[in-house]
Amino acid sequence: MSDKPEQRSTPSNPARRQKALAVEPGFPPKRVVSGATRVRRLDNIDLRLLRVFAVLAETGSFAAAQIALNLSQSTLSTHLASLEQRLGGPLCLRGRKGFRLTAFGQETLEAIQDLFESIELFQARVSQAPQELGGRLRIGSIGGIINNPDIGLQDVLARVIDQVSTVHVDLQLGIPQDLELQVADGTRDVAIGPFARHAPGVRYLSLCEEPHALYCGQGHPFFDMADELITKDMIDRARFSVRAYRKLEDLQRINHPRASGSIVHMEAQLMMILSGRFIGFLPEQSAAPYRRAGRLRPILPAAYHFVSQHYIAFRAIDQSRNVLQIFIRELLRQAGRSEALNDENAR
């Protein structure tokens, strides 16, 4: 047997070699790192940071990556800086010549692509191995959907457990961009929300539409005021609570000059508006019980409303898992969209 160390083969994707031509040389110089040091450095790197950098490199600009990931420029820059600090070198350069990867960034991108290919291969082999019907089902969802009959997650879970009594359900709430990345990196099996639909390797099924309107609570100056008396100038001066992860989008919907409050989950938005001190958007289903109780009212609903499209997101490589298939089937059944799964299976 030869004592020579095994040589790493050239990546099978020729496009990777092509990208190397546009790389800024010399960042950082090659150096030998012991196995133990490398493990200590990489052990705690969040897969989501790697996914963010991969999207940034593949889109070729911060502006395009912001749209694809639905992240602000400051958040994207923070993620990149955190990854560069953990890896120990600059991954890309920005300047007059535009966005480009450093040599270290190109090597890192190729390693990330190899890593995710290996993860997908691992999961494919595991999913094809003989297994019982149960196991763990890790679900992610946005908040504020408990009163939405088209999602009815509590009813869906009841039917799933009736069919698979041994399943362990792990249910967590989150914001859309985090849930989408968690599905992409395999930390969530399935997620429900208004996704941007850009995560690589993720399949999306249309679930339902959710109408939203602008609301105020009892005690707010608008509450007992007729709609025709509420002017745009009055709305501009009102305290406006926005979704922190879609701040600009909410401001633009009513062309409001500033946000006076922010939330992550819709339950928090309800609290803000019910205080009688803020206006803000709410799903109509979430607001309905409080409207009936006389505690909320919509503001100029003909002018200030929008519809949010919800999707089921799951990894294509996981779609053959029995318990996941049952969960997706019951979700679509709840929304009256059972035919969507048949269309998906026919592809």
Side-chain angles (χ1 to χ4, degrees):
M1 181 180 295
S2 173
D3 292 329
K4 293 183 179 179
E6 183 179 352
Q7 298 295 316
R8 188 177 183 274
S9 61
T10 302
S12 56
N13 186 352
R16 297 188 197 172
R17 296 292 98 194
Q18 209 52 23
K19 290 180 183 177
L21 298 176
V23 171
E24 185 75 10
F27 288 89
K30 298 278 187 179
R31 58 184 183 277
V32 177
V33 182
S34 70
T37 303
R38 186 181 297 112
V39 169
R40 283 198 300 271
R41 177 189 299 164
L42 299 181
D43 186 45
N44 294 321
I45 290 180
D46 194 325
L47 285 176
R48 284 176 293 181
L49 292 181
L50 299 179
R51 185 78 65 180
V52 165
F53 173 65
V55 171
L56 173 60
E58 287 162 7
T59 56
S61 76
F62 274 71
Q66 284 176 242
I67 296 172
L69 295 167
N70 196 21
L71 295 176
S72 67
Q73 181 176 346
S74 61
T75 301
L76 182 57
S77 297
T78 298
H79 286 338
L80 178 62
S82 177
L83 183 60
E84 288 178 328
Q85 183 177 11
R86 296 185 191 193
L87 291 177
L91 297 171
C92 62
L93 298 173
R94 286 182 290 175
R96 294 178 181 177
K97 297 181 180 179
F99 173 88
R100 60 195 185 281
L101 298 179
T102 64
F104 183 48
Q106 180 65 36
E107 288 291 335
T108 300
L109 176 61
E110 293 176 8
I112 289 171
Q113 291 168 333
D114 290 344
L115 171 64
F116 287 141
E117 287 174 7
S118 298
I119 290 174
E120 289 184 1
L121 177 60
F122 167 79
Q123 293 184 329
R125 292 178 63 180
V126 170
S127 67
Q128 293 167 6
Q131 57 180 309
E132 294 185 6
L133 186 58
R136 180 181 293 268
L137 181 62
R138 300 166 301 172
I139 306 168
S141 175
I142 59 166
I145 63 169
I146 192 167
N147 293 321
N148 188 329
D150 289 333
I151 298 177
L153 194 51
Q154 58 274 24
D155 299 324
V156 170
L157 288 174
R159 295 198 298 270
V160 170
I161 291 171
D162 286 347
Q163 297 174 64
V164 191
S165 60
T166 57
V167 66
H168 177 100
V169 177
D170 176 359
L171 174 61
Q172 290 188 9
L173 301 181
I175 62 176
Q177 53 262 49
D178 285 351
L179 294 174
E180 199 168 7
L181 287 173
Q182 287 165 12
V183 171
D185 66 28
T187 55
R188 292 283 109 190
D189 299 312
V190 61
I192 304 161
F195 302 122
R197 297 185 298 160
H198 289 296
V202 175
R203 303 290 291 272
Y204 300 88
L205 293 179
S206 178
L207 181 60
C208 66
E209 293 182 341
E210 186 176 54
H212 291 63
L214 185 66
Y215 288 90
C216 67
Q218 191 174 26
H220 194 278
F222 296 164
F223 192 77
D224 296 316
M225 191 179 295
D227 275 349
E228 57 267 24
L229 298 178
I230 302 174
T231 66
K232 180 63 170 66
D233 180 65
M234 294 167 66
I235 288 176
D236 287 349
R237 288 186 280 110
R239 294 183 184 90
F240 185 36
S241 177
V242 300
R243 297 169 293 175
Y245 52 93
R246 296 228 168 125
K247 176 181 176 180
L248 293 178
E249 189 176 315
D250 284 352
L251 289 171
Q252 290 169 359
R253 289 190 189 282
I254 64 173
N255 195 25
H256 201 283
R258 77 193 67 82
S260 299
S262 60
I263 58 91
V264 171
H265 298 300
M266 280 300 151
E267 289 80 357
Q269 182 77 316
L270 265 171
M271 296 177 197
M272 299 282 270
I273 298 172
L274 286 169
S275 74
R277 302 298 182 268
F278 293 88
I279 63 173
F281 283 108
L282 281 171
E284 291 182 3
Q285 292 291 345
S286 297
Y290 299 92
R291 286 189 66 183
R292 291 192 294 267
R295 300 183 62 191
L296 287 179
R297 63 152 286 190
I299 304 167
L300 297 167
Y304 300 125
H305 69 278
F306 69 93
V307 174
S308 181
Q309 174 66 56
H310 289 310
Y311 298 91
I312 307 169
F314 56 94
R315 285 163 56 92
I317 202 168
D318 295 332
Q319 63 187 0
S320 62
R321 287 185 56 207
N322 288 326
V323 69
L324 182 60
Q325 286 184 348
I326 291 170
F327 178 75
I328 293 172
R329 184 179 67 230
E330 293 300 335
L331 264 179
L332 293 171
R333 174 185 165 193
Q334 183 73 24
R337 301 203 67 252
S338 297
E339 78 285 350
L341 190 58
N342 296 331
D343 293 343
E344 184 73 9
N345 290 336
R347 291 181 184 180

